[in-house]
Amino acid sequence: MSFGTAEYQERIQKTKERMASKGIEVLLITDPANMNYLSGYDGWSFYVHQMLIIIDDEDQPIWVGRTMDANAAKITTWLYHDNIISYPDTYVQSDVKHPMDFVADILKQIGQDKRCVGVEMENYYFTAKCYEQLKKGLPNASFQDATLLVNWVRIVKSDQEIKYMKQAAIFAEKAMNTGIEMINEDIRECDVAAQILHAQVTGTAEFGGDYPAIMPLMPSGERTSTPHLTWTDARYKNNESVILELAGCYKRYHSPLARTIHIGAPSDELKKLAQVTLEGLEKCLAMIKPGIVLEEICETWTRSIAAHGYEKESRIGYPMGLNYPPDWGEHTASIRKGDRTILQPNMTFHLIPGMWCDKSGFEVSESFRVTETGCEIFADLPRGLFVKSKALIR
């Protein structure tokens, strides 16, 4: 397990307190990150239905999943083996029965079928079919939306979680440096991606990397006008930019990082965009401390870029840490106007004030934790525009 039993028990207790505040007696967890957070379960099995059941008056959760994955639960979790229950393969991708039928039957057998049941409605892994089958199988239960209930418990990290994220940051630096060094004219994008992935997974001599929740994002040329593109088999050209956004990952904990590279001589417009973005980022980092609310960071950013004639509508950051594909973000707070979330020590965020124009863009980011007096940046890498030629990097 990545943590001691005491830490998992503390997380369960905090989750039950949130359940009680919402009147939820039975909580059904299908988000794999939340399953991991509360039980330690770690397997690439989230492509089939699986679940962690939290019952208000039971000490341990119940894990429910496919039979071939039950041993993974025994290996990776802190749960008693009696609390690991598996459904046969006849439930997998069947058009006559559904894993939620199996879950409903379990809840009936243990007398939990007439209680208030919380489900993660807004979740990649909880489908409309899941909800319909649960309602059909538990006609005497009342259902409540428990989306993000556990995510909000996760927003303040333990010291051990912070250690894992700092290790992930070392992997992120290594992968970013690999990409920056390799990107140049006539080099294929896919070859750079391969070396970045290799760096992410090999990690260091002391610690190996995990697979990140998001593949390296690395648009080039006009594709830098949008952030969420990966790679192609095209070759890099002279006088075009490349944006790299990636993360190191250790024991499922992420530390994202973004930088921008330009091949050849950058235009005055790009240099100005880089300068404005960097200035705004640094002003934001300088004012972060416990007690302020997230929208104050956004206001600092907005004022900074407005002084140079720029504006940006989208948010500039979000909490991150433990996660699985397709996202390393936690889906709770956002660094944007109107978010009144108060910063506390050991909250962790990815501050990413990217600027995307019609045909180009500039992106730079830092992952950080809130400290007792300010913030601690995880990675140690120059932030400016990286300018490349066949013989030069600076």
Side-chain angles (χ1 to χ4, degrees):
M1 297 186 300
S2 299
F3 302 90
T5 299
E7 183 156 343
Y8 287 114
Q9 290 173 331
E10 182 180 356
R11 295 170 180 182
I12 291 288
Q13 182 57 38
K14 290 179 179 179
T15 298
K16 287 182 176 180
E17 290 170 3
R18 282 188 173 268
M19 289 169 58
S21 70
K22 296 178 178 294
I24 295 172
E25 298 166 304
V26 179
L27 179 62
L28 307 183
I29 299 295
T30 52
D31 184 324
N34 291 338
M35 291 179 65
N36 178 295
Y37 183 75
L38 296 174
S39 74
Y41 182 74
D42 183 22
W44 192 289
S45 54
F46 42 83
Y47 67 95
V48 295
H49 294 295
Q50 55 188 19
M51 178 176 288
L52 199 69
I53 303 172
I54 313 295
I55 301 172
D56 60 357
D57 55 0
E58 293 289 339
D59 291 336
Q60 282 203 2
I62 298 171
W63 179 92
V64 180
R66 192 178 183 183
T67 297
M68 67 174 62
D69 297 316
N71 277 347
K74 293 175 182 178
I75 291 168
T76 61
T77 75
W78 64 284
L79 307 180
Y80 295 135
H81 289 184
D82 288 346
N83 282 41
I84 296 171
I85 303 173
S86 62
Y87 58 80
D89 234 53
T90 52
Y91 282 86
V92 176
Q93 298 167 1
S94 168
D95 58 1
V96 295
K97 52 184 174 180
H98 193 276
M100 293 306 116
D101 302 336
F102 186 86
V103 170
D105 288 340
I106 290 173
L107 293 177
K108 289 176 184 176
Q109 291 169 21
I110 62 177
Q112 302 293 327
D113 59 314
K114 298 178 181 178
R115 309 192 77 193
C116 180
V117 178
V119 292
E120 296 176 309
M121 297 287 286
E122 179 72 355
N123 188 334
Y124 301 123
Y125 312 90
F126 187 76
T127 65
K129 184 72 171 180
C130 287
Y131 187 51
E132 289 301 316
Q133 292 305 114
L134 282 172
K135 289 198 300 181
K136 180 180 177 181
L138 299 170
N140 297 315
S142 60
F143 287 89
Q144 184 170 329
D145 186 1
T147 301
L148 303 182
L149 186 149
V150 178
N151 301 60
W152 280 106
V153 176
R154 289 165 46 194
I155 195 168
V156 177
K157 308 298 187 292
S158 70
D159 290 342
Q160 187 62 53
E161 290 178 289
I162 296 297
K163 288 181 181 179
Y164 290 157
M165 295 177 75
K166 287 182 176 180
Q167 187 61 54
I170 295 173
F171 302 162
E173 290 174 21
K174 181 181 177 183
M176 184 63 74
N177 279 322
T178 296
I180 292 169
E181 181 178 352
M182 190 173 179
I183 287 171
N184 219 320
E185 187 177 2
D186 292 332
I187 302 296
R188 293 195 307 172
E189 294 180 13
C190 54
D191 292 333
V192 176
Q195 292 306 308
I196 288 173
L197 289 164
H198 183 268
Q200 288 174 305
V201 176
T202 55
T204 64
E206 297 80 15
F207 301 98
D210 208 340
Y211 61 89
I214 302 176
M215 288 290 100
L217 303 173
M218 40 195 300
S220 63
E222 288 192 2
R223 292 160 63 89
T224 59
S225 63
T226 185
H228 300 135
L229 298 176
T230 55
W231 59 85
T232 72
D233 61 356
R235 295 181 182 274
Y236 292 116
K237 300 175 183 178
N238 187 45
N239 200 32
E240 71 176 10
S241 295
V242 184
I243 289 175
L244 291 184
E245 182 183 349
L246 51 83
C249 183
Y250 185 61
K251 294 186 182 293
R252 303 303 327 137
Y253 282 84
H254 294 75
S255 184
L257 191 62
R259 293 292 186 268
T260 302
I261 303 96
H262 188 81
I263 302 169
S267 66
D268 290 341
E269 179 183 3
L270 178 59
K271 287 190 286 186
K272 180 182 178 183
L273 188 63
Q275 180 184 356
V276 170
T277 307
L278 287 167
E279 179 182 304
L281 172 71
E282 289 165 2
K283 287 182 177 179
C284 290
L285 290 170
M287 57 86 65
I288 291 170
K289 62 182 179 180
I292 69 169
V293 297
L294 288 180
E295 73 171 356
E296 292 180 67
I297 305 173
C298 185
E299 289 168 357
T300 296
W301 161 259
T302 300
R303 287 194 300 269
S304 180
I305 65 171
H308 301 280
Y310 290 88
E311 61 181 20
K312 175 181 167 68
E313 181 182 0
S314 59
R315 66 180 182 174
I316 61 168
Y318 48 82
M320 50 76 207
L322 166 68
N323 227 323
Y324 288 81
D327 187 17
W328 55 51
E330 293 181 345
H331 301 179
T332 48
S334 290
I335 303 177
R336 63 184 170 199
K337 183 179 179 180
D339 194 312
R340 302 290 297 174
T341 302
I342 300 172
L343 290 186
Q344 302 174 50
N346 272 15
M347 284 184 172
T348 56
F349 291 86
H350 185 207
L351 180 60
I352 179 165
M355 296 286 281
W356 302 284
C357 305
D358 289 340
K359 294 186 178 182
S360 65
F362 179 84
E363 193 172 319
V364 61
S365 77
E366 296 290 0
S367 292
F368 68 88
R369 78 174 180 101
V370 181
T371 66
E372 295 293 336
T373 58
C375 73
E376 178 185 16
I377 298 164
F378 287 147
D380 183 14
L381 199 70
R383 296 178 189 146
L385 178 66
F386 289 83
V387 178
K388 294 292 300 284
S389 71
K390 290 185 177 180
L392 176 66
I393 175 173
R394 64 175 182 270

